[in-house]
Amino acid sequence: MASGLQPDEERDEDGDEAAERERALLARDILVHNEQVKLTANLMNIGAAGFIITGIVAPLTAAMATTGRVTTPALILLAVWFALGVGLHFGARLMATNLR
């Protein structure tokens, strides 16, 4: 033992401990990654809901309260807002496929 070599039993325990630490770090990194992906997907989904509420529900309510009808340009704009909201929602769903 003067040369600083350890018996085989002690080296195996140290190797197992190092491997266990490595697995724990990998598991933690995976959990952190998954939470970051979920937070981003949730933010995108909230944005999609905001697009739909702001771009569809509010103008429809205002149009019905004032004139009682919705014009063609307003309908086109409503369709654009709806498409943006749906697109953002499906982008969030696509983002969720990055979970590990």
Side-chain angles (χ1 to χ4, degrees):
M1 278 224 216
S3 64
L5 295 176
Q6 297 177 352
D8 288 340
E9 296 169 355
E10 290 179 24
R11 275 189 290 174
D12 287 342
E13 288 175 9
D14 289 341
D16 289 345
E17 186 177 311
E20 185 63 32
R21 270 196 311 265
E22 185 69 26
R23 282 191 293 273
L25 287 174
L26 180 62
R28 182 189 63 114
D29 289 346
I30 289 172
L31 287 174
V32 168
H33 170 80
N34 284 345
E35 286 303 314
Q36 289 173 341
V37 169
K38 287 191 277 186
L39 283 170
T40 303
N42 281 328
L43 178 65
M44 291 172 68
N45 204 37
I46 290 169
F51 277 14
I52 290 175
I53 291 170
T54 302
I56 295 175
V57 175
L60 279 178
T61 304
M64 290 299 149
T66 56
T67 63
R69 64 186 187 94
V70 181
T71 62
T72 302
L75 283 176
I76 292 171
L77 194 57
L78 293 176
V80 169
W81 278 103
F82 181 76
L84 288 172
V86 169
L88 199 55
H89 171 74
F90 280 109
R93 291 177 59 105
L94 185 63
M95 172 72 70
T97 62
N98 291 331
L99 293 173
R100 295 183 192 162

